[in-house]
């Protein structure tokens, strides 16, 4: 029965005739965001030994990349709500990120991070193929977006782990992030940062800029969490400033996209 | 054989056979066989248990939050994760006990969590919203044989958690908790990882499987009597494919650190 299902799935067409491409309005092309995310993430991991604030802030563009990918795929309607894809991203991402930490025993940290991201992308591609070819979800961009989301989740988790550990090597990450249990907090923070922007902004007036601004804000909160985990005042301050800037940006864009912003006065007290 | 008996045989049969296989697996001395084979067997079967278990949990999603569909009013992933992670923690608390105790504890933890969620949900539906628990997918409850249709508010797909969904949810908790505990045991005992590392990896595997299952369900399911339950083989095929990759990744990780 199972073998037959797999076999059928492999030979049968993916149901393209019923799929419809949905036009998603973008202000910034997705490839630019992806490039910026990968670049900043890898630079952040490479310079983690200088100061933890570098990887902590470098995670922000990575999270924006993930949030943009979530935005593109969730625009089709997943049927189970946006959170599921964010948790899937980090479910596969945590495995790939921990594998990347293990790889630092044999190769330099930044190379391990790059390999980890590729492993994450492979896991994401596998999940995407299973979702579209076997389960038959009617989403043409499922494979691509699932690949990007898991890769972004992996790289973001790697950056945050490097920020908390102060260096991206197995002994440092193992003793300061995994054994202490901080990884669970980073895991959930990353997952929420990926899924929240689109989940909060979705609707007919959703714009990419506003969603990305919220993504940057969520990323800043992740930086603040790494600051709290390490009790490093510089990371806390930098994360706080990044949060203020991104939140003001988001607030401005919210007012821009709103039909009107009016002051209603204080609600009158009842009888 | 009546309709209800068929549904019961399908739902209860699948769950009990899978649980029986899982508990029979505790008789094997896994630490004595090759690490790779033990990891593959335990993680792949654990993934399968989690994936099938999610199909048993009555998930109503947003409609159920407004009491216009049967089930607990939240998403599949959240519900499965809530009960599954409780099972994982319950299993981890028994880390140094025999395999059988770890499995049983994981199953009991997850089933207890989902049972409490459904009970409190039902209290709110009955005494807060004021609607009787009933299902619109079947005419008679397959377990109690009670009529459902007269109690379904027109325009809705049922409300609350009727007996069959409650039993199904507990079976889902047992399956999911057993699967999580099995994955944890493979990572902790067979591959010799530390408890936090094994825990976080088991959590990752659990979520990926739960999401695959929830995409297969496509939003809402009432339990094993729901027609959507027929889609289980597709999700099971996916969990086999993912389980093999996950087991290999975990095995590789244990060799390189």
């Amino acid at each position: 029965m199972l073998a037959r299902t797999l076999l059928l799935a492999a030979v049968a067409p993916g149901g393209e005739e019923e799929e419809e491409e949905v036009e998603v309005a973008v202000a910034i092309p997705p490839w630019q965001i992806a490039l910026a995310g990968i670049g900043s993430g890898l630079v952040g991991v490479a310079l983690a030994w200088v100061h933890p604030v570098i990887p902590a802030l470098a995670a922000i563009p990575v999270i924006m990349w993930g949030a943009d990918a979530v935005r593109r795929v969730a625009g089709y309607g997943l049927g189970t709500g946006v959170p599921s894809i964010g948790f899937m991203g980090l479910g596969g991402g945590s495995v790939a990120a921990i594998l990347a930490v293990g790889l630092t025993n044999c190769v330099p940290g930044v190379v391990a991070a790059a390999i980890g991201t590729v492993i994450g992308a492979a896991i994401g591609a596998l999940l995407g193929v299973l979702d579209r070819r076997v389960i038959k979800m009617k989403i043409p961009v499922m494979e691509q977006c699932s690949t990007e989301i898991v890769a972004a989740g992996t790289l973001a988790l790697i950056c945050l782990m490097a920020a908390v550990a102060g260096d991206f090597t197995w002994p440092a990450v193992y003793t300061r992030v995994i054994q202490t249990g901080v990884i669970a907090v980073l895991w959930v923070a990353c997952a929420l940062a990926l899924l929240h922007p689109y989940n909060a902004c979705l609707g007919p007036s959703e714009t990419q800029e506003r969603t990305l601004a919220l993504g940057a804000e969520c990323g800043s909160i992740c930086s603040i969490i790494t600051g709290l985990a390490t009790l490093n005042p510089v990371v806390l301050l930098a994360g706080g400033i990044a949060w203020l800037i991104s939140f003001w940006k988001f607030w401005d864009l919210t007012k821009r996209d709103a039909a009107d912003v009016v002051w209603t006065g204080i609600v009158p007290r009842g009888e | 054989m009546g309709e209800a008996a068929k549904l019961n045989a399908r739902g209860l049969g699948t769950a009990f056979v899978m649980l029986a296989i899982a508990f029979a697996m505790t008789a094997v001395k896994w630490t004595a066989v090759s690490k790779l084979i033990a990891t593959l067997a335990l993680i792949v079967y654990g993934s399968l248990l989690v994936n099938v278990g999610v199909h048993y949990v009555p998930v109503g999603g947003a409609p159920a939050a407004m009491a216009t569909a049967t089930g607990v009013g939240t998403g599949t992933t959240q519900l499965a994760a809530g009960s599954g992670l409780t099972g994982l923690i319950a299993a981890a608390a028994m880390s140094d006990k025999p395999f059988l105790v770890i499995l049983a504890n994981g199953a009991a933890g997850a089933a207890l969590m989902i049972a409490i969620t459904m009970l409190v949900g039902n209290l709110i539906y009955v005494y807060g919203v004021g609607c009787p628990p009933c299902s619109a997918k079947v005419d008679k409850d397959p377990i109690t044989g009670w009529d459902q249709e007269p109690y379904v508010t027109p325009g809705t797909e049922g409300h609350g958690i009727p007996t069959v969904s409650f039993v199904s949810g507990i079976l889902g908790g047992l399956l999911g908790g057993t699967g999580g505990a099995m994955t944890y045991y493979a990572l902790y005992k067979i591959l010799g990882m530390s408890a936090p590392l094994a825990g976080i990896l088991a959590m990752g595997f659990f979520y990926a499987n739960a999401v695959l299952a929830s995409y297969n369900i496509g939003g809402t399911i009432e339990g094993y009597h729901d027609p959507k339950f027929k889609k289980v083989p597709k999700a099971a095929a996916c969990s086999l494919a993912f389980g093999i990759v996950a087991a290999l990744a975990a095995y590789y990780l244990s060799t390189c650190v």
Side-chain angles (χ1 to χ4, degrees), chain A residues 161-190:
Chain A
M161 287 200 291
V164 174
D167 198 3
F168 195 61
T169 56
W170 175 258
V173 173
Y174 187 71
T175 50
R176 289 185 208 151
V177 185
I178 297 176
Q179 282 303 94
T180 52
V182 174
I183 188 165
V185 180
L186 298 182
W187 193 94
V188 173
C190 255

Side-chain angles (χ1 to χ4, degrees), chain B residues 35-61:
Chain B
K35 264 189 183 181
L36 183 60
I37 294 172
T39 316
L40 266 176
L42 292 174
I43 293 186
V44 169
Y45 195 63
S47 300
L48 192 65
L49 283 170
V50 171
N51 214 315
V52 175
V54 171
H55 290 76
Y56 277 88
V57 179
V59 187

Side-chain angles (χ1 to χ4, degrees), chain A residues 2 5 78-80 83-85 87-88 91 94-95 98-99 102 105 126 130-131 134-135 137 170 174 178-179 187, chain B residues 77-78 194 196-197 200-201 203-205 207 211-212 214-216 219 233-234 236-238 240 242 245 252-253 256-257:
Chain A
L2 294 181
T5 312
L78 295 165
T80 58
S84 58
I85 195 116
F87 282 118
M88 187 186 86
S94 61
V95 179
I98 292 172
L99 259 177
N105 283 340
L126 171 76
L130 289 176
D131 280 339
V134 183
I135 292 179
M137 292 180 87
W170 175 258
Y174 187 71
I178 297 176
Q179 282 303 94
W187 193 94
Chain B
T77 329
Q78 284 85 345
S194 67
L197 184 55
I200 198 86
L201 281 179
M203 197 161 120
F205 295 161
Y207 263 110
V211 174
L212 277 176
S214 76
Y215 285 163
N216 188 39
K234 278 205 272 182
C238 288
L240 284 185
F242 178 76
V245 173
Y252 179 72
L253 180 64
C256 82
V257 295

Side-chain angles (χ1 to χ4, degrees), chain B residues 29 33 35 46 51 61 66 71 154 185 203:
Chain B
K29 213 166 160 31
V33 296
K35 264 189 183 181
N51 214 315
M66 300 179 287
Y185 177 83
M203 197 161 120

Side-chain angles (χ1 to χ4, degrees), chain A residues 160-231:
Chain A
L160 295 182
M161 287 200 291
V164 174
D167 198 3
F168 195 61
T169 56
W170 175 258
V173 173
Y174 187 71
T175 50
R176 289 185 208 151
V177 185
I178 297 176
Q179 282 303 94
T180 52
V182 174
I183 188 165
V185 180
L186 298 182
W187 193 94
V188 173
C190 255
L192 288 178
L194 286 193
L195 68 90
H196 178 67
Y198 187 73
N199 202 24
C201 293
L202 71 85
S205 69
E206 191 264 352
T207 58
Q208 189 202 25
E209 284 168 292
R210 186 153 53 96
T211 305
L212 286 183
L214 190 54
E217 193 235 325
C218 292
S220 315
I221 292 179
C222 288
S223 309
I224 296 175
I225 289 173
T226 60
L228 284 175
T230 51
L231 288 179

